Every structure is written in structure tokens, then in C-alpha cells.
Amino acid sequence: MLISRTVFDQVIERKQTASAKWDAVDQLFQGEDLLPMWVADMDFRAPQPVIDALKERVEHGVFGYPVHSPSVDAAVKHWVKRHYDWEIRESDIVYTSGVVPTISYIIEAFTAVGDEIVIQTPVYYPFYQLVNNNERTLVKNPLRFDGETYTMDLEHLSSVISEKTKMLILCNPHNPVGRVWRKEELEKIAELCVKHDLLLVSDEIHADLVFEGKKHIPIASLSAEVASRTFTCLAPSKTFNLAGLQTSYCVIHNDKYKTRLQKYLKKRFMGMSNSFAELVTEVAYNQGDEWLLALRKYVWDNYLYVKDTLETSMPRLSVLEPEGTYLLWIDCSRLGLTASERKKWLVDEAKVAMNHGEIFGVEGQSFERMNIACPRVTVEEAMRRLKRAYDALTFDS
């Protein structure tokens, strides 16, 4: 059944629903009447089959301790095969309550205090906290930016790996720059990890959100050798707007590593899912394909609208063409404002809340991250506000 774009055009009131995106925005950004275009949280209803399944479970009325169902494993296995042509075993899957907590568990279970962990910046800002809060040593491998796109600097990566380096955290598709790493890029980084005996933690939470002409390749699918050192973190949460239900999983082909992580979770009594998490995973993966196809098209059209609006009426701002995610990376380097001045301008003048690029690392200080997974009218309002503030600026000729 084809999903109409009117499903995504629907404006849903989210204020006063305990929404971090909408109810906390003014306080977090220290402004008033801000339009939230920030955190990676969609303003769309989940697919109807997911909502129907939740209603049925709620109507049952009993929410006791759940037990894992093998049908969830089957749904996950078929999803990754169908979408990424990746063969996994049901026994490779470890269910968790979120990708970020999962990465923290892996860091704690497989590295020691003081060990070096590499991240590729600018990158999803919790990566910094995960390394630092666990008292590991952060090693940065900045991406190369040529003014239009980002690539990996593998020569630099090779130079910063030492005998103390134990792990690399990969972000694919990359948040915030929107790259979907190609096979040859993944092969090169995997080769370095094998050469230096590094564990590879791959955050692939945006794997389903890739645009036409692009293909997500799980790095663990490259070879058995790569798979044996890789922890692939996935979830239906970004794909189907289910983050609040805290559902995710980690695919681990190495049985020794899988057992070690399971023991870590069991020791801390973190092995049980909530009553809704596995339900929504199974239903979304079994019945969400058409919805996802329509979502990608809608988000891409929103990107084209933003791109055209900036080019025609705000030429000192430019947006990188995304290969994946629903997050735009907007280059503000020609705006003539410092990062702190731009932050104040967006909040006080434009009344738009975006994620300021500097939180992703110093390499992102000239950028803003904009979430366009929302109805077109919301994107249009954001552009109107931005244009009004832009027109009030004075530029040197």
C-alpha cells in the first residue's frame, strides 16, 4: 500500500506532551518562542501498524515482566537482509535500551581506563562524553572538508594510532555531515583496524535513512575478519520515530565478545527490555517498508526546498547535499558572524533552534545542524524566520 505524503504533512501539536524537542527548547537555548529544528526526533506519527499494535497491548492492560520472543529476532534478521543484503544469525543479536548506552557498555566492557579511543570529527557529540566519562583517552581523527563534502583522512588516522589505541567508533551514516560511507572507504578503515588490532564500534542508527542512489553498507558485512572485531549498533528508533521507547540492538558475530557483553549486562541487571520495545521493533520491521520509502522521499523534498530557498534568498548560507539522515549541515562561514554571534543571532533574531556546529567539535564551528524531519509548513516557517533575520544583517560589499 502506497503511503501518501499527506501522512507527513499533518501538523501534530507536540507542546505540553513532555517532548524534549518542543517543551524544553526555550530553556535549553535560552530564548523565547523558538521553533525547534534541533534534536534528531521527527515530528511525524509512527507507522499506523506500530500504533495499532501498541493500542492492542495497552488495551490488554497488564504490563508485567516481558520475555524475549524469537519472532523479534526473525524480524531483525529479515530486515537487515532485505535492506542491506547482510546475513546475520539470530544468535548474533543483543538487545539494549539505546545505541548511546550500548556504546558506553562496550567501552566499559572491552577497554580499560586510559586506553585510547578514536572518533572522526566533527561527529555526534555524545561520542566525546562516552569516551571522557569512562576515563578513556580521546583521540580525534578529523574528517577532510573540501568545501562541498567530507572524506576520511586515513593517513592522519594511521599516524595517531598508538599501542595504547584499542578502539575506533565509526558513525555511518555520519551525523552530522550526512555522508554514507562507500565500500572502498569502509574497506580502508577496516584494513587499519585489522592491522592495528582495534575493536570497531559502528553506530549505524541512521542506516535506513539513506537517499536514492546511495546504499548503506554495514562495515561488518565486508568480511568475516572485519565482522569478528565489530560491534554494529542499530535501532528502529530514528527510522520510525520510536526513540522514547528505548529500543535498540547490537549485532556481534564474535561469540566470545557477545558472551562477554551479555555477562556485563547481566551483572548490572540490564538485560531486560520494556513491554513495548520489542513489540514495536517487530511490527515496524515487518510492516514499515512502504512508510519508510515515503518518508525518505518527503525528507528529500524538504532538503530540496531548503537548498533552493538558501540559494535564491540567503546566498551566504549553503547546505551540503545529504547522502543520509534527516539532518542538514548548513555552512555559515560566509555569514560574517563568529560562532557565538551566530548562536545569539539564531536565537534572538531568527527565533530558530538548531544544533550549533561547535558541539560536534571545533571542526564544526562554522556550521549549524538542522532537522528537517517535520511537515513542510514547519520547514517553510523556519525559512521565513531565517530570511527575516538574514535580511536584517549588514554585509560588507
Side-chain angles (χ1 to χ4, degrees):
M1 181 181 70
L2 294 178
I3 305 295
S4 169
R5 66 175 289 117
T6 58
V7 168
F8 304 105
D9 278 332
Q10 181 183 6
V11 177
I12 300 168
E13 179 59 66
R14 298 189 64 193
K15 290 182 179 179
Q16 298 183 6
T17 63
S19 162
K21 181 178 183 179
W22 285 85
D23 291 328
V25 61
D26 286 356
Q27 179 181 359
L28 289 174
F29 285 80
Q30 298 182 334
E32 294 181 356
D33 300 319
L34 301 179
L35 186 65
M37 309 296 289
W38 61 296
V39 66
D41 169 334
M42 296 193 281
D43 288 329
F44 306 132
R45 285 166 59 89
Q48 193 59 45
V50 172
I51 297 172
D52 292 342
L54 285 170
K55 285 181 178 178
E56 182 178 349
R57 180 63 57 85
V58 169
E59 283 300 317
H60 183 262
V62 180
F63 311 112
Y65 295 118
V67 64
H68 175 70
S69 170
S71 60
V72 183
D73 299 332
V76 171
K77 180 180 178 179
H78 293 152
W79 180 267
V80 300
K81 173 61 178 176
R82 199 161 66 246
H83 288 267
Y84 322 135
D85 194 26
W86 183 26
E87 293 279 2
I88 65 172
R89 303 169 300 177
E90 287 90 342
S91 59
D92 295 331
I93 308 166
V94 176
Y95 294 93
T96 54
S97 62
V99 165
V100 172
T102 303
I103 297 175
S104 183
Y105 305 153
I106 295 167
I107 289 172
E108 289 187 75
F110 292 89
T111 65
V113 171
D115 282 350
E116 294 178 350
I117 298 177
V118 182
I119 64 174
Q120 297 178 296
T121 57
V123 73
Y124 183 49
Y125 53 90
F127 285 6
Y128 295 88
Q129 300 167 37
L130 290 171
V131 176
N132 292 329
N133 291 351
N134 281 301
E135 299 181 324
R136 275 54 170 178
T137 302
L138 184 72
V139 177
K140 291 171 41 175
N141 169 225
L143 301 174
R144 286 176 172 164
F145 180 56
D146 64 6
E148 293 184 1
T149 191
Y150 285 84
T151 55
M152 295 185 189
D153 189 342
L154 296 174
E155 183 177 346
H156 176 268
L157 174 59
S158 184
S159 73
V160 298
I161 295 174
S162 75
E163 61 181 15
K164 294 182 179 180
T165 311
K166 304 300 180 184
M167 180 180 289
L168 182 143
I169 304 177
L170 177 70
C171 194
N172 183 35
H174 193 281
N175 174 11
V177 309
R179 276 299 315 277
V180 176
W181 302 117
R182 297 179 178 85
K183 184 177 181 181
E184 55 269 25
E185 294 172 306
L186 295 172
E187 288 174 335
K188 289 175 181 177
I189 201 166
E191 181 181 340
L192 279 174
C193 289
V194 171
K195 177 182 177 181
H196 295 282
D197 194 25
L198 302 185
L199 295 176
L200 182 52
V201 179
S202 190
D203 176 358
E204 302 185 14
I205 195 170
H206 291 277
D208 302 318
L209 300 163
V210 298
F211 298 115
E212 189 172 355
K214 306 300 178 184
K215 179 177 175 59
H216 174 73
I217 301 172
I219 194 166
S221 70
L222 294 179
S223 70
E225 185 176 34
V226 177
S228 70
R229 65 180 60 251
T230 301
F231 301 82
T232 306
C233 300
L234 290 156
S237 54
K238 296 297 182 205
T239 310
F240 300 106
N241 207 23
L242 304 171
L245 293 176
Q246 297 182 305
T247 174
S248 66
Y249 56 96
C250 186
V251 178
I252 309 170
H253 293 273
N254 187 313
D255 289 337
K256 182 176 69 174
Y257 289 168
K258 181 192 68 177
T259 300
R260 185 170 171 179
L261 181 60
Q262 288 174 323
K263 285 183 177 178
Y264 174 92
L265 296 172
K266 185 177 181 180
K267 183 177 179 180
R268 290 156 180 80
F269 292 90
M270 295 188 295
M272 183 181 293
S273 177
N274 70 61
S275 297
F276 303 113
E278 291 194 6
L279 170 68
V280 297
T281 298
E282 180 177 353
V283 175
Y285 278 175
N286 284 338
Q287 302 181 53
D289 290 75
E290 292 297 333
W291 186 94
L292 175 58
L293 192 65
L295 170 73
R296 289 176 183 151
K297 178 64 169 62
Y298 193 92
V299 171
W300 180 256
D301 287 346
N302 276 351
Y303 153 68
L304 293 177
Y305 173 80
V306 171
K307 178 176 181 288
D308 180 68
T309 303
L310 294 180
E311 288 178 348
T312 57
S313 60
M314 292 173 273
R316 287 178 179 262
L317 296 173
S318 59
V319 59
L320 276 62
E321 180 174 320
E323 297 177 347
T325 84
Y326 49 74
L327 306 164
L328 299 184
W329 195 230
I330 299 176
D331 188 346
C332 307
S333 58
R334 294 183 296 145
L335 203 56
L337 302 174
T338 66
S340 58
E341 289 171 340
R342 189 177 71 246
K343 183 186 299 186
K344 181 175 175 59
W345 172 73
L346 281 169
V347 170
D348 295 345
E349 305 302 327
K351 300 291 186 181
V352 175
M354 300 187 197
N355 286 113
H356 305 306
E358 60 195 16
I359 69 172
F360 302 95
V362 294
E363 302 85 1
Q365 61 186 353
S366 296
F367 292 82
E368 299 289 334
R369 193 190 76 171
M370 180 182 182
N371 179 350
I372 56 167
C374 53
R376 174 60 63 84
V377 293
T378 305
V379 179
E380 290 172 348
E381 175 61 19
M383 289 295 100
R384 277 193 294 269
R385 293 184 181 204
L386 200 60
K387 176 68 163 59
R388 184 175 63 246
Y390 181 93
D391 288 344
L393 292 173
T394 302
F395 301 113
D396 294 332
S397 58

